Amino acid sequence: MSLQIDRKMVERVAVLSRLELSESEIAQFSAQLSDIVGYIEKINVLDTEQVEPLAHCLPVQNVFREDVPQPSLSNEQALANAPDQTDGYFIVPKILDDNSGA
Amino acid sequence: MSLDYKIIVGLEIHVQLATKTKMFCGCELAYGHAPNTRVCPVCIGMPGALPVLNKAAVEFGILTGLALNCDIARFTKWDRKSYYYPDLPKNYQISQYDLPITENGYLDILLDDGTTKKIRIRRAHLEEDAGKNVHTFGNYSGVDLNRSCTPLLEIVTEPDMNSPAEVRLAAQELQRIVRYLGVSEADMQKGHMRFEPNVNLHITRGGQVFKTPITEVKNLNSFRAIERSIAYEVNRQLDEFLTTGKTMQMGNKSTYGWDDVNQQTVLQREKEEAHDYRYFPDPDLVPVVVSDQWLEEIKARLCELPLAIQKRFVGDYGLSDYDAQVLTGEKATGVLFDAAVRCGGDPKRVCNLLTQTGLKLANERQTTVDALGVSPEHLAVLAKMTDEGQISATSAAVIFEEMTRSGGDPAQIAEAKNLIQKSDTGEIEALVEQVLAENAQAVQDAKDNPKKAKKALGFLTGQVIQKSKGQANPKLVSQVLNQRLASLP
Ligand SMILES: [Zn+2]
């Protein structure tokens, strides 16, 4: 079963990703994403019935850092690439629907 | 038509873990610094920067899970939750989706009627916090990323609370637990602990049950606000149901903010569409496997939990529920109390010394009772001296305060400050004689006027103590006085 990425789905993904797409981009991405998904669909020919789901592709676990403070960047360094800054803050377009605070 | 309703509340709690560094980078975790001064490529979200997990954060999560009677996952992993706000610039939050570090536990709370209620814990998972948006820049917003990547434990309860008071009690109990464990400072004002209740009603009308739409309440920065906001929501939902008849449907959950000034909840947003966080495993982080040995090491760090201690104080020492609760408000207070009682102090007396004088002093000095510098041995001696009438209760408070300054021995302080009560019967008898001679009317009343006897006796006792400059043992004074009065013709 090949999943068709139609324009509706592209529009929805664009909304979720806060992207503004032009008409031609929507058409272009619908085709490209369908191709990509179609390509990945090939993996479905494999029988994974007896295979444990994989959480990570590396056979590694428990990589930790000890809880010891390390130097941070200076405020100047932190803001060096910011398009805009004031009083040590990154300045961004006004946030209307503030869902901040995770 | 009869109308009956049941309040249904579940809680989501974000607990900021008291690690020294952030969850996935070595930046120092600190409150109140200049913006963007505790940041690095990882917590700013620079492309290509790689997170490395803070072991202490995982251990704090497991420790809390153990205290909440949860199953601890032996295999857990990290997922990306899509999140598009400038306070988390990499556009996803590292969280745990299908394999939380702990799940299926419960929290015991003690209700006002003395019964214990279980609040089930659905899960508790680790995640990173976002930064802070500041809206004081006119048409722009400012972003401070000092808080971004702070380790959080998100605890989700089942909807097991059925009154505003139960929600407050559960919140307070959780705060006590994480403080006892030392996994969080849990200061609500500083946002270390953020409670988000989900509230609705099950209304029975005409034999039919109606469920009102669930609302999530935010901006709660005190326990009082938690209790009041839920009481307010209950009335608001009841009114809304009676007016509109609206009931719960898929996706009509809305968010209300608590307005502390006007004491009401205010609609913030209605969920237009179900959130689509598009979780997927974070390829930058490898899984965590919890071995038996590691789990045992963490278990060894568990302490006796506050509610158990509270019940022990009531059961073993005969304290009131109220006193036991005050003593277990902070771990250090209960520990000091316990130790002083083991040193021979009478529980009730030690409790009074700690709750009436100790906590007051600690409050004034903005510290904890254990930091006042009074040893359990000295506390026990002070309690004994008070019980035996060597010093008055008022003097005990004075001596306690002096002990916090000099760390000295209570008996020596009492001696030096001349606070030992006179228990020399001869001396007291002499004073009694004087007072009897000087107050003929009161003596008359005490002996022959049943209406005034009690008052007169109190007056005479007071006179004797006054003459002794407050140093006569009141018990002894009234004993001598009574004997002397009885012997009068
Ligand atoms: Zn950092």
Side-chain angles (χ1 to χ4, degrees):
Chain A
M1 268 288 281
S2 181
L3 180 68
Q4 212 42 48
I5 306 288
D6 57 13
R7 76 172 282 124
K8 233 177 143 180
M9 194 174 287
V10 172
E11 281 170 356
R12 174 160 164 75
V13 171
V15 166
L16 288 171
S17 310
R18 310 294 191 270
L19 292 174
E20 204 175 344
L21 301 183
S22 67
E23 278 301 314
S24 63
E25 281 171 325
I26 292 173
Q28 184 191 355
F29 291 145
S30 304
Q32 284 182 347
L33 289 171
S34 294
D35 284 351
I36 292 167
V37 171
Y39 176 66
I40 293 171
E41 286 272 315
K42 279 186 184 165
I43 206 161
N44 282 344
V45 304
L46 293 172
D47 176 12
T48 56
E49 198 60 37
Q50 303 298 319
V51 181
E52 281 279 313
L54 192 66
H56 201 278
C57 61
L58 293 177
V60 178
Q61 61 204 32
N62 291 8
V63 176
F64 297 122
R65 186 173 53 74
E66 291 305 315
D67 189 22
V68 179
Q70 304 297 326
S72 295
L73 297 176
S74 68
N75 183 253
E76 293 70 32
Q77 287 172 313
L79 298 177
N81 294 323
D84 197 0
Q85 56 171 285
T86 304
D87 299 340
Y89 288 90
F90 293 94
I91 294 299
V92 300
K94 192 159 188 70
I95 301 155
L96 294 174
D97 168 23
D98 192 354
N99 186 34
S100 59
Chain B
M1 196 182 289
S2 80
L3 184 140
D4 217 357
Y5 67 90
K6 188 172 184 190
I7 302 169
I8 311 283
V9 186
L11 268 177
E12 276 175 38
I13 309 106
H14 285 88
V15 181
Q16 177 176 325
L17 299 177
T19 50
K20 296 184 190 73
T21 64
K22 295 186 176 183
M23 185 125 177
F24 297 111
C25 66
C27 288
E28 183 196 10
L29 259 193
Y31 182 81
H33 281 284
N36 299 307
T37 55
R38 296 296 184 279
V39 291
C40 72
V42 172
C43 56
I44 288 180
M46 297 281 187
L50 286 175
V52 186
L53 179 58
N54 183 344
K55 190 176 186 184
V58 178
E59 293 182 337
F60 281 0
I62 293 175
L63 195 57
T64 312
L66 288 169
L68 296 175
N69 310 289
C70 289
D71 300 329
I72 308 300
R74 295 314 192 88
F75 182 94
T76 180
K77 73 184 213 310
W78 305 95
D79 300 283
R80 293 183 175 185
K81 178 181 181 180
S82 304
Y83 175 95
Y84 288 88
Y85 287 92
D87 54 6
L88 203 55
K90 64 185 185 295
N91 286 348
Y92 60 85
Q93 178 189 28
I94 303 175
S95 182
Q96 301 195 292
Y97 181 53
D98 55 340
L99 296 173
I101 186 101
T102 75
E103 58 187 343
N104 298 328
Y106 63 86
L107 166 77
D108 275 334
I109 60 171
L110 187 65
L111 303 180
D112 289 337
D113 66 5
T115 59
T116 301
K117 178 169 177 172
K118 271 191 181 13
I119 309 295
R120 288 170 298 156
I121 305 288
R122 185 179 298 167
R123 57 184 276 159
H125 69 259
L126 290 161
E127 62 183 30
E128 59 176 340
D129 204 350
K132 244 180 204 155
N133 296 325
V134 178
H135 306 290
T136 51
F137 296 92
N139 286 325
Y140 296 88
S141 294
V143 181
D144 171 14
L145 296 174
N146 282 352
R147 195 183 68 183
S148 102
C149 207
T150 294
L152 299 176
L153 186 68
E154 181 177 334
I155 304 171
V156 183
T157 78
E158 296 293 343
D160 286 349
M161 286 148 282
N162 304 110
S163 75
E166 282 183 16
V167 184
R168 186 206 4 107
L169 286 167
Q172 286 173 321
E173 196 59 53
L174 272 169
Q175 187 197 47
R176 227 167 36 150
I177 289 172
V178 296
R179 283 187 170 164
Y180 266 65
L181 296 174
V183 301
S184 177
E185 291 172 43
D187 185 336
M188 284 178 81
Q189 297 290 334
K190 290 184 184 166
H192 290 158
M193 227 177 164
R194 308 197 283 266
F195 294 93
E196 285 162 11
N198 280 257
V199 189
N200 83 330
L201 305 175
H202 289 184
I203 300 172
T204 310
R205 188 168 65 179
Q208 217 187 328
V209 178
F210 301 88
K211 298 177 181 178
T212 58
I214 295 176
T215 60
E216 183 175 84
V217 185
K218 288 186 184 252
N219 307 340
L220 299 170
N221 59 5
S222 72
F223 292 117
R224 205 164 72 156
I226 292 175
E227 189 162 1
R228 290 191 175 174
S229 69
I230 289 162
Y232 185 91
E233 260 309 296
V234 168
N235 285 326
R236 194 196 60 73
Q237 291 192 13
L238 206 52
D239 276 354
E240 187 182 76
F241 174 76
L242 292 174
T243 317
T244 68
K246 214 158 89 178
T247 55
M248 181 166 72
Q249 277 138 30
M250 273 302 285
N252 68 351
K253 179 168 152 178
S254 45
T255 305
Y256 279 73
W258 176 243
D259 175 349
D260 213 35
V261 176
N262 297 306
Q263 296 282 305
Q264 62 181 26
T265 60
V266 180
L267 181 63
Q268 285 185 334
R269 113 186 98 95
E270 289 186 89
K271 272 190 185 153
E272 63 293 340
E273 56 180 328
H275 269 263
D276 192 343
Y277 294 119
R278 292 168 294 158
Y279 285 96
F280 68 96
D282 191 328
D284 288 346
L285 289 157
V286 296
V288 174
V289 173
V290 181
S291 67
D292 288 348
Q293 194 203 339
W294 190 21
L295 189 58
E296 286 310 313
E297 279 169 27
I298 299 169
K299 260 186 196 159
R301 285 157 59 184
L302 267 179
C303 60
E304 193 184 5
L305 293 177
L307 190 58
I309 300 175
Q310 187 180 328
K311 287 180 173 176
R312 183 162 62 76
F313 285 176
V314 173
D316 291 2
Y317 298 149
L319 297 187
S320 68
D321 277 327
Y322 178 79
D323 279 340
Q325 195 195 338
V326 173
L327 284 177
T328 49
E330 268 177 271
K331 187 181 181 182
T333 316
V335 168
L336 181 60
F337 167 80
D338 233 350
V341 171
R342 285 199 194 109
C343 290
D346 173 66
K348 186 66 197 164
R349 182 66 69 184
V350 174
C351 167
N352 284 345
L353 284 168
L354 281 177
T355 55
Q356 284 161 24
T357 310
L359 285 176
K360 199 184 92 203
L361 289 174
N363 242 342
E364 281 168 13
R365 298 179 198 171
Q366 302 197 325
T367 181
T368 51
V369 170
D370 64 316
L372 291 172
V374 174
S375 72
E377 293 82 9
H378 283 166
L379 196 56
V381 171
L382 185 64
K384 244 187 198 156
M385 289 171 66
T386 317
D387 277 332
E388 287 169 0
Q390 294 181 49
I391 52 170
S392 67
T394 320
S395 299
V398 174
I399 295 167
F400 193 116
E401 186 159 5
E402 184 56 33
M403 284 158 68
T404 66
R405 289 186 209 290
S406 62
D409 173 71
Q412 280 169 12
I413 294 171
E415 202 80 56
K417 287 191 168 274
N418 220 1
L419 293 171
I420 300 283
Q421 297 189 122
K422 295 245 157 55
S423 296
D424 176 347
T425 321
E427 205 170 323
I428 289 171
E429 275 168 356
L431 292 175
V432 166
E433 285 313 320
Q434 265 186 49
V435 168
L436 294 183
E438 287 164 13
N439 299 282
Q441 185 57 51
V443 172
Q444 192 73 34
D445 289 345
K447 269 176 57 70
D448 304 325
N449 188 339
K451 270 191 187 162
K452 292 186 177 172
K454 207 177 160 199
K455 204 177 155 196
L457 197 62
F459 170 76
L460 292 170
T461 310
Q463 287 295 304
V464 176
I465 290 173
Q466 208 174 41
K467 274 200 190 300
S468 77
K469 301 201 175 64
Q471 290 174 13
N473 181 343
K475 255 191 232 163
L476 203 57
V477 170
S478 76
Q479 205 182 320
V480 171
L481 202 57
N482 278 320
Q483 277 171 6
R484 190 69 190 85
L485 283 172
S487 72
L488 285 178

